[in-house]
């Protein structure tokens, strides 16, 4: 018995979405990693499962899985894709709570990604640490957008070389997404992200949000910032109310049937 899926992408960060509200599907390490596999399966950076929400005000429950089967608490580009797929500016329920969405006049999708978590236990880190300057070479800053992010601000070239080791550094008990940023102006950041459980991706929405938060905290960036990644740019604003607004494109690539 097959299950229907949508293949979507946001700035080249791509996803397979299965809505289990209307069909039977249970995510396992085996089927998630197979679906994500670009040779043996459909191929994507993350698998996204839609389910019936439990919180009042939510239109859909959204869960994000990396190709290694690990579950992520946030996924910005995928959140925009789900909002675009459902239409009518839905409210997404994720591990971090309710994420309202919006559609701009130009048809881009905005997601209120909520407030970043700045404490060492919230990232999380393995021991009490100033999250503004981690005790690692290059002195990154760290925060959580519902998933752990460390951001360096000394160039993007090292992403593929140093990403794998940093992802698994003992300072990160749940591993971490590693952002490598180059400040172009106070409102413009060039960024590459080595994603936890997925590797180097063309763009990372939660990583862009985390990088702006960490850059503002370091007084390197303004609260409104364009984040330019290999796959394209996102508009990020860390609002005075504490929430981070992320705006960018989201595209349905194709639909299909996955033979379970
Ligand atoms: N591509 C996603 C990030 C996935 C994060 C995942 N790799 C994790 O384990 O946190 C984004 O656009 O935010």
């Amino acid at each position: 018995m097959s299950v229907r899926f949508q293949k979507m992408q946001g700035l080249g960060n791509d996803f397979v979405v299965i809505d289990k509200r209307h069909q039977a599907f249970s995510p396992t390490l085996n089927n998630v990693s197979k679906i994500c596999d670009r040779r043996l399966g459909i191929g994507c950076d993350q698998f996204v499962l839609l389910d019936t929400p439990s919180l009042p005000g939510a239109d859909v429950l959204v869960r994000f899985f990396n190709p290694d089967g690990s579950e992520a608490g946030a996924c910005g580009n995928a959140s925009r894709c789900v909002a675009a797929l459902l239409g009518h500016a839905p409210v997404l329920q994720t591990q971090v709570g309710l994420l309202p969405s919006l559609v701009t006049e130009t048809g881009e999708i905005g997601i209120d990604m909520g407030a970043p978590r700045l404490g060492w236990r919230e990232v999380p880190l393995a021991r009490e640490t100033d999250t503004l300057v981690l005790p690692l070479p290059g002195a990154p800053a760290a925060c959580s957008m519902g998933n752990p992010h460390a951001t360096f601000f000394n160039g993007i070239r090292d992403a593929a070389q140093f990403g794998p080791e940093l992802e698994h550094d003992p300072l990160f008990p749940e591993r971490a997404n590693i952002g490598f940023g180059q400040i172009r102006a106070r409102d413009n950041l060039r960024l590459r992200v080595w994603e936890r459980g997925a590797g180097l991706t063309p763009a990372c929405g939660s990583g862009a949000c985390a990088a702006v938060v960490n850059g503002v905290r370091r007084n390197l960036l303004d609260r409104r910032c364009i984040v330019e990644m290999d796959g394209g740019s996102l508009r990020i604003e860390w609002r005075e109310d504490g929430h981070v607004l992320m705006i960018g494109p989201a595209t349905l690539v194709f639909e299909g049937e996955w033979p379970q």
Side-chain angles (χ1 to χ4, degrees):
M1 195 259 287
S2 67
V3 63
R4 190 143 191 79
F5 71 85
Q6 287 76 34
K7 178 74 191 298
M8 300 197 75
Q9 63 90 8
L11 303 180
N13 190 203
D14 63 346
F15 313 99
V16 169
V17 183
I18 288 179
D19 188 341
K20 68 168 289 182
R21 294 176 296 174
H22 314 303
Q23 52 191 349
F25 182 83
S26 296
T28 64
L29 173 59
N30 182 47
N31 61 23
V32 166
S33 54
K34 192 110 179 271
I35 286 170
C36 295
D37 191 301
R38 295 189 186 280
R39 291 189 183 282
L40 303 177
I42 306 166
C44 57
D45 290 327
Q46 275 89 31
F47 170 68
V48 181
L49 186 70
L50 306 186
D51 204 343
T52 304
S54 58
L55 294 178
D59 294 298
V60 65
L61 173 66
V62 190
R63 296 175 66 188
F64 313 106
F65 297 86
N66 291 309
D68 67 0
S70 59
E71 186 166 356
C75 190
N77 288 323
S79 297
R80 291 200 318 279
C81 287
V82 170
L85 187 64
L86 270 58
H88 310 298
V91 176
L92 314 183
Q93 177 183 333
T94 70
Q95 277 185 18
V96 293
L98 299 183
L99 306 185
S101 66
L102 60 87
V103 183
T104 70
E105 289 164 10
T106 57
E108 290 199 309
I109 305 293
I111 302 285
D112 174 347
M113 293 288 286
R117 292 141 179 83
L118 308 178
W120 69 274
R121 288 190 180 88
E122 298 172 295
V123 172
L125 301 179
R127 58 186 182 275
E128 184 168 359
T129 307
D130 176 1
T131 60
L132 212 45
V133 186
L134 298 189
L136 293 171
C143 71
S144 170
M145 290 305 300
N147 55 348
H149 287 273
T151 315
F152 292 81
F153 292 100
N154 34 34
I156 63 167
R157 70 194 179 290
D158 299 340
Q161 182 180 354
F162 295 113
E165 188 178 341
L166 285 164
E167 171 191 352
H168 295 271
D169 190 283
L171 185 59
F172 306 119
E174 295 179 9
R175 298 183 289 162
N177 299 281
I178 312 296
F180 297 83
Q182 182 73 44
I183 306 280
R184 286 182 161 162
R186 287 192 60 87
D187 62 354
N188 191 296
L189 177 72
R190 179 75 172 89
L191 182 72
R192 272 205 184 122
V193 181
W194 177 271
E195 287 197 18
R196 175 180 61 170
L200 199 57
T201 60
C204 179
S206 56
C209 295
V212 172
V213 166
N214 286 329
V216 170
R217 295 168 70 203
R218 280 272 186 84
N219 193 25
L220 298 171
L221 295 173
D222 293 337
R223 281 180 170 270
R224 282 191 178 189
C225 190
I226 299 290
V227 179
E228 297 187 11
M229 294 168 279
D230 292 345
S233 300
L234 290 175
R235 287 183 282 153
I236 308 292
E237 180 181 1
W238 186 14
R239 298 189 315 225
E240 295 295 344
D241 68 0
H243 285 210
V244 183
L245 177 63
M246 169 196 61
I247 296 176
T251 305
L252 175 65
V253 184
F254 61 86
E255 299 191 77
E257 298 282 333
W258 172 254
Q260 292 203 68

